[in-house]
Amino acid sequence: MSTKATTLNSKKSVGALVKDWMSLVGIAILIVVFSIISYVKFGAQYFLTWSNWKNILLQSSTVAIVALGQSIMLLTGNFDLSLGRMVCLTSCVGAILMKNVGMSTGLAILIMFAIGLAVGAVNGFMVSYVGVPAMIATLGTQYICYGLAKLLTQAVPIANMPDSISFLGRDYIFGGVFPVCVLLMIIVYAIAQFVTSKTRVGRNLYAVGGSREAAFFSGINVKAYQFGTFLLGSVLATFGGLVLMSRLNSVAVTNGQNYEFDAVIGSIIGGVSLAGGKGRVIGTMFGCIFLNTLFNGFSQMGVDPFVQDVLKGVVLVLAVTLDVASNKKKS
Amino acid sequence: MDNNYILTLKNITKEFPGVKALDDVTINIERGTIHGLVGENGAGKSTLIKVLAGIYQPNKGEIILDGKPCRFNSPIEARRAGISVVHQEIKLAEPLSVAENMFLGNVQLKNGLVDWKGMRRRAWEIVEDLGMDIDINAQVSSLTVAKKQIVEIMHAINNNSRILIMDEPSAVLTDRELEVMFRIVKQLRDKGITIIYISHRLDEIFGLCSNVSVLRDGCHIDTIPVASVDRQGLINMMVGREMGQEYPKEVGNVGGTILEVKNLSRGILQDISFEVKSGEVFGISGLVGAGRTELARAILGIDKPESGEVYVRGKKVHYRTFADAIRDGLGLIPEDRKLQGLVQIMSVKRNTTLVNMKRVLRAGVISSSLEEKLSKEYADKLHVVTPSMETEVQYLSGGNQQKVVIAKWLFQNSEILFLDEPTRGIDVGAKAEIYRLINRMAKEGKTIIMISSEMPELLGMCDRIMVMHEGHKMGELNAAEATQEKIMALCS
């Protein structure tokens, strides 16, 4: 109704801005709350220190890199449950090749990416060309990846990664204070944010997520775009796996466990709509940092680590409720 | 209390933040009649229906049903009082059977268990009573749109409705299906059910209704017997000004043949051949299911033709995808504006530039200022009414949404444009604007191929009309010789 539309204000209200940048607002609130608690409880500031924040960012970096792929898939109306186990499989294969086979690091990394891409291609093919629901297709590959990783390693952790990859996860730059992997996270997000907001490819991704049919009738190759996002997701998962094996300096079948769900939670807190077609990918990075800030703060407070999963669930449900409620209000 | 009136709306006012959707509306509805309700989009028809159906509660005024004031706090209360609505969009449970759908929300019990036998018998009685050829055990998803609509109506009357509100039931029906529905509507009236009938198609108002109420900008303009007004008069009441001609046909800038289709076959399409000249408005008529949309899809590379050839500008083409056809200067305004035409959650600006983003790129990067400027130009040119270019198209009226779809293809500068049901569900004012746009495009030498189920529209706007039936081309008529009867004779 045109009369109704004219009453909608085109300028963004404060409320809308807060909703758009929910993750940043959340981080700010956590900082204030935890710094005060730290001061009250310990009489000194342990929370708002660079060494603590280095930790938060370090822990966020690998999951955030994987979450980027997930949030781009969410943008196009898909998701990938196999991402976490892809992290696991590719890093296990990498470790075996580097450590047990003695292959050169470069070639081993190449093979890691080839395996990741193969899994992504299977997911993408099944979902976009065959029409298997994303949930089923990627649940299947999730088990395949996990099973293969256990088979190959016999579930025995592999420690001490080659020095040639240590810079990815364990080195610091800018005078030895800033972790390389955090910089890597920022770089991939900066590129992704630019591409999704400023290029034709990015706009088409939003169109595909907004309405596959309308995108198709605008001449966009919807299937290729969907396929592409699965490939991208697998590349980022492999990259995340590589950084993770370097950061932990070891590989185990638990690597990357639940990353796909943490990625969804991070994306939604970051403002990417579950329904597709809306949100900014950069928000996902802040969403992942928000989660790690929350857990870091609670550990400092001495909260039982097992409570963390409960909290994660609460945060997810709250974020989705907000997302759904705000969409409902509009329509 | 005048017993002639089954329903009286008295001084109904409904306000939304910042908008008076209904302003002091008073309408009397006579018992056992078909009462028309007309007005442009945004006139308040939908709000009025929602007030009657208990979806909205009025801020002021009262509803008097059978002499008793009532207040409906929910749709269930309205239904209990005997008011049912057949909505514009079909809302049936597709995987369930016809009989099951007829008892949705009204399941009959026997000894505490669902009485399937009784419900099926009752469903069968209703179907028989209406003289319909519908299998009550058929799955609803297997029915045609027309039959689904009839299931909706049966669902409504199965509720022992005394008042049936029909919101543009004809929007998706072809002329022949309409006849069946009209017959049913008249039967229901003869059974004593009062019907409130909303339609943009004025022929139906004149053919069915005894009285008609006109709404404009939330106000009740008048309620009059249809016999006391003519078509033009009714249109003038709706828009509040002299409308001028309904179909303002002007001759385009006609040149040589630009599109030629030879012996095209695919699916139901059998051996279709035709030619279209540049600057021509070429109509394709036929019933739903005649293969009109399929023909457009086969030409545009969406579906692959099984045999036959397509020539564009004299050159044989093989479009492998729709994108190929777009690059070659073809375009399609699809039949389902909401789902296919626009990304509803995207802004007016972004929808406008979606097909031809190249025009807003600077060194490969989207230039926001350029995009804003260019899309605004097109929105202004097409008189798109929108609060801003950033408004999501889902908040625009149907007519304005369709203008954005057209803007999108003008922005792409397509030479040959297929329009599939371009004015479906759009009010008279916006329709006339779309017709003028078609004229303007033809004047600029663009070729328009218009698929429509509304014969008057094709007769009024096209240079030539091709008639299709069950995938075959039945004939071609020049504007000068074409009449509704001739088209009907060809498509049956």
Side-chain angles (χ1 to χ4, degrees):
Chain A
M1 217 187 275
S2 58
T3 43
K4 207 166 165 184
T6 47
T7 62
L8 292 166
N9 203 330
S10 58
K11 268 194 189 146
K12 284 208 167 149
S13 62
V14 179
L17 272 175
V18 168
K19 202 227 142 205
D20 271 14
W21 297 103
M22 192 160 65
S23 47
L24 277 179
V25 174
I27 294 171
I29 293 172
L30 291 184
I31 289 176
V32 172
V33 172
F34 285 131
S35 349
I36 293 172
I37 295 179
S38 167
Y39 205 78
V40 170
K41 197 168 172 186
F42 307 113
Q45 190 53 264
Y46 294 112
F47 181 77
L48 201 56
T49 62
W50 176 237
S51 74
N52 189 42
W53 271 86
K54 212 158 55 185
N55 249 330
I56 292 175
L57 293 174
L58 263 173
Q59 276 164 3
S60 308
S61 64
T62 38
V63 71
I65 289 169
V66 180
L68 176 57
Q70 189 74 295
S71 68
I72 290 173
M73 279 185 261
L74 284 172
L75 268 192
T76 54
N78 281 319
F79 56 90
D80 187 342
L81 295 179
S82 66
L83 291 176
R85 299 305 189 187
M86 239 190 271
V87 168
C88 167
L89 174 64
T90 53
S91 56
C92 284
V93 170
I96 289 171
L97 292 177
M98 291 173 200
K99 293 284 295 179
N100 303 2
V101 180
M103 192 182 274
S104 77
T105 316
L107 190 58
I109 291 175
L110 221 61
I111 292 173
M112 284 171 69
F113 276 100
I115 290 170
L117 273 170
V119 179
V122 170
N123 285 337
F125 179 77
M126 285 198 291
V127 174
S128 24
Y129 292 101
V130 183
V132 181
M135 175 144 116
I136 303 303
T138 61
L139 187 63
T141 45
Q142 181 197 77
Y143 276 102
I144 294 170
C145 289
Y146 188 42
L148 284 176
K150 280 197 285 192
L151 204 63
L152 290 171
T153 60
Q154 291 299 307
V156 178
I158 303 169
N160 299 325
M161 295 300 116
D163 288 341
S164 47
I165 62 162
S166 70
F167 76 96
L168 284 172
R170 293 202 299 279
D171 270 10
Y172 293 83
I173 48 162
F174 301 142
V177 290
F178 201 82
V180 171
C181 57
V182 175
L183 184 69
L184 289 172
M185 166 185 84
I186 293 171
I187 290 171
V188 291
Y189 270 93
I191 295 170
Q193 181 58 32
F194 175 79
V195 171
T196 50
S197 64
K198 285 287 170 192
T199 70
R200 186 175 173 177
V201 170
R203 186 64 65 78
N204 287 350
L205 285 172
Y206 278 93
V208 170
S211 162
R212 290 195 189 144
E213 281 213 62
F216 174 79
F217 282 102
S218 301
I220 297 168
N221 191 339
V222 174
K223 288 177 181 169
Y225 268 91
Q226 292 191 69
F227 185 72
T229 60
F230 279 98
L231 288 188
L232 181 69
S234 69
V235 168
L236 286 165
T238 311
F239 185 54
L242 185 62
V243 175
L244 186 67
M245 67 195 270
S246 162
R247 179 159 76 78
L248 301 178
N249 198 22
S250 74
V251 162
V253 287
T254 50
N255 275 15
Q257 192 173 345
N258 286 339
Y259 267 28
E260 64 277 354
F261 294 120
D262 292 351
V264 171
I265 301 172
S267 300
I268 288 168
I269 294 171
V272 175
S273 164
L274 255 189
K278 270 188 177 170
R280 294 183 189 81
V281 289
I282 193 92
T284 304
M285 183 174 83
F286 297 124
C288 293
I289 295 173
F290 171 84
L291 276 180
N292 279 294
T293 311
L294 188 69
F295 299 146
N296 178 285
F298 276 108
S299 324
Q300 279 200 349
M301 303 303 102
V303 176
D304 187 335
F306 292 143
V307 175
Q308 292 197 357
D309 276 342
V310 178
L311 279 174
K312 225 186 253 181
V314 172
V315 169
L316 172 68
V317 172
L318 276 178
V320 174
T321 309
L322 269 176
D323 181 46
V324 172
S326 70
N327 283 340
K328 211 182 223 164
K329 208 166 62 191
K330 271 192 233 161
S331 60
Chain B
M1 260 314 133
D2 193 336
N3 198 34
N4 264 343
Y5 297 136
I6 183 164
L7 181 71
T8 299
L9 297 163
K10 211 169 167 190
N11 310 106
I12 298 278
T13 297
K14 176 69 191 172
E15 285 176 58
F16 295 104
V19 187
K20 242 184 195 177
L22 289 174
D23 189 359
D24 199 26
V25 171
T26 299
I27 297 176
N28 289 312
I29 292 172
E30 282 176 35
R31 190 182 304 278
T33 61
I34 304 175
H35 190 106
L37 182 61
V38 297
E40 292 193 276
N41 288 342
K45 291 171 304 190
S46 308
T47 312
L48 190 69
I49 295 166
K50 285 180 177 159
V51 166
L52 277 175
I55 299 168
Y56 292 155
Q57 284 69 46
N59 300 83
K60 260 182 253 156
E62 54 182 355
I63 299 167
I64 298 164
L65 182 63
D66 256 340
K68 284 195 291 281
C70 19
R71 188 177 168 80
F72 306 133
N73 290 311
S74 72
I76 297 167
E77 290 183 25
R79 265 175 51 177
R80 283 209 189 106
I83 298 178
S84 288
V85 185
V86 176
H87 287 282
Q88 204 169 347
E89 280 105 24
I90 291 173
K91 289 172 179 157
L92 293 171
E94 298 268 336
L96 299 186
S97 74
V98 170
E100 283 166 327
N101 266 285
M102 285 167 68
F103 284 89
L104 272 189
N106 184 23
V107 175
Q108 305 295 305
L109 298 181
K110 195 174 171 184
N111 309 325
L113 296 173
V114 174
D115 180 17
W116 288 119
K117 213 170 147 194
M119 290 199 299
R120 269 197 286 271
R121 193 186 322 111
R122 171 86 182 113
W124 184 79
E125 279 167 13
I126 295 174
V127 172
E128 279 295 292
D129 202 26
L130 292 175
M132 288 306 306
D133 172 32
I134 292 178
D135 175 9
I136 57 155
N137 293 315
Q139 198 174 317
V140 161
S141 58
S142 69
L143 302 181
T144 61
V145 177
K147 287 196 171 158
K148 285 180 190 171
Q149 188 100 52
I150 287 161
V151 175
E152 280 266 20
I153 295 172
M154 293 192 299
H155 175 230
I157 59 175
N158 186 31
N159 225 29
N160 290 324
S161 304
R162 289 182 293 166
I163 298 174
L164 183 64
I165 302 171
M166 302 179 78
D167 188 3
E168 287 196 55
S170 60
V172 291
L173 303 186
T174 61
D175 287 345
R176 193 181 302 172
E177 293 163 342
L178 271 179
E179 276 175 35
V180 176
M181 206 195 58
F182 289 170
R183 184 172 59 74
I184 291 176
V185 171
K186 285 178 183 161
Q187 264 180 352
L188 294 178
R189 175 197 59 195
D190 295 343
K191 284 192 209 308
I193 295 175
T194 307
I195 291 150
I196 301 176
Y197 193 90
I198 294 113
S199 181
H200 281 309
R201 298 188 182 178
L202 298 183
D203 294 343
E204 295 169 8
I205 301 292
F206 284 101
L208 280 173
C209 304
S210 45
N211 292 312
V212 58
S213 296
V214 182
L215 291 181
R216 191 204 311 151
D217 300 329
C219 299
H220 175 227
I221 301 303
D222 206 357
T223 296
I224 46 171
V226 290
S228 70
V229 66
D230 65 358
R231 193 181 166 84
Q232 197 59 46
L234 195 57
I235 291 175
N236 290 345
M237 280 169 75
M238 283 160 65
V239 296
R241 59 191 138 84
E242 290 290 320
M243 259 297 289
Q245 233 187 323
E246 202 176 349
Y247 302 107
K249 172 67 184 163
E250 293 167 34
V251 178
N253 189 5
V254 180
T257 300
I258 186 161
L259 172 72
E260 190 178 359
V261 175
K262 275 189 188 164
N263 312 105
L264 187 94
S265 295
R266 137 112 215 176
I268 71 158
L269 299 173
Q270 294 297 320
D271 199 28
I272 307 271
S273 302
F274 65 95
E275 276 177 39
V276 186
K277 297 187 179 70
S278 66
E280 218 178 4
V281 181
F282 185 80
I284 302 181
S285 179
L287 308 174
V288 169
R292 301 167 306 170
T293 302
E294 289 80 356
L295 178 61
R297 289 174 65 102
I299 295 170
L300 290 165
I302 297 172
D303 300 325
K304 238 195 191 81
E306 283 150 16
S307 64
E309 288 138 31
V310 178
Y311 296 84
V312 171
R313 298 177 210 95
K315 238 178 46 208
K316 193 169 169 182
V317 293
H318 297 277
Y319 301 133
R320 284 176 42 246
T321 63
F322 183 36
D324 286 345
I326 293 174
R327 267 192 291 276
D328 208 19
L330 281 75
L332 166 70
I333 291 179
E335 89 190 290
D336 189 331
R337 174 174 58 238
K338 280 209 159 81
L339 269 175
Q340 305 172 328
L342 297 168
V343 181
Q344 294 287 329
I345 60 169
M346 268 193 171
S347 63
V348 174
K349 178 175 91 179
R350 291 179 176 208
N351 269 292
T352 306
T353 59
L354 190 58
V355 187
N356 196 359
M357 228 124 63
K358 274 193 206 125
R359 285 184 66 184
V360 298
L361 297 182
R362 272 193 190 132
V365 177
I366 296 170
S367 156
S368 310
S369 56
L370 192 61
E371 186 175 29
E372 175 80 26
K373 191 178 131 239
L374 285 181
S375 59
K376 184 119 188 17
E377 246 170 56
Y378 280 81
D380 289 345
K381 202 155 92 179
L382 270 60
H383 306 293
V384 177
V385 180
T386 173
S388 93
M389 295 306 291
E390 298 296 338
T391 306
E392 291 172 16
V393 293
Q394 58 177 325
Y395 300 116
L396 304 188
S397 69
N400 279 305
Q401 287 196 11
Q402 189 68 311
K403 283 192 247 170
V404 178
V405 186
I406 296 176
K408 168 169 141 176
W409 290 99
L410 287 181
F411 191 78
Q412 156 68 15
N413 207 11
S414 297
E415 262 184 279
I416 304 171
L417 201 51
F418 287 79
L419 307 174
D420 197 352
E421 304 284 2
T423 63
R424 178 184 284 171
I426 290 177
D427 66 60
V428 273
K431 263 186 189 174
E433 278 189 80
I434 285 169
Y435 296 141
R436 272 191 285 276
L437 278 172
I438 290 173
N439 278 334
R440 202 159 82 198
M441 290 190 274
K443 277 250 162 82
E444 288 167 11
K446 296 200 160 66
T447 306
I448 308 290
I449 297 164
M450 183 153 98
I451 298 168
S452 175
S453 298
E454 277 189 61
M455 267 187 246
E457 167 176 289
L458 288 176
L459 290 166
M461 289 306 298
C462 298
D463 299 301
R464 281 185 302 142
I465 300 167
M466 174 168 91
V467 184
M468 289 180 69
H469 180 62
E470 290 180 357
H472 294 270
K473 173 177 173 177
M474 305 305 287
E476 219 174 86
L477 299 161
N478 275 320
E481 57 174 5
T483 62
Q484 205 145 334
E485 290 71 32
K486 280 187 188 169
I487 294 180
M488 278 309 276
L490 281 174
C491 70
S492 46

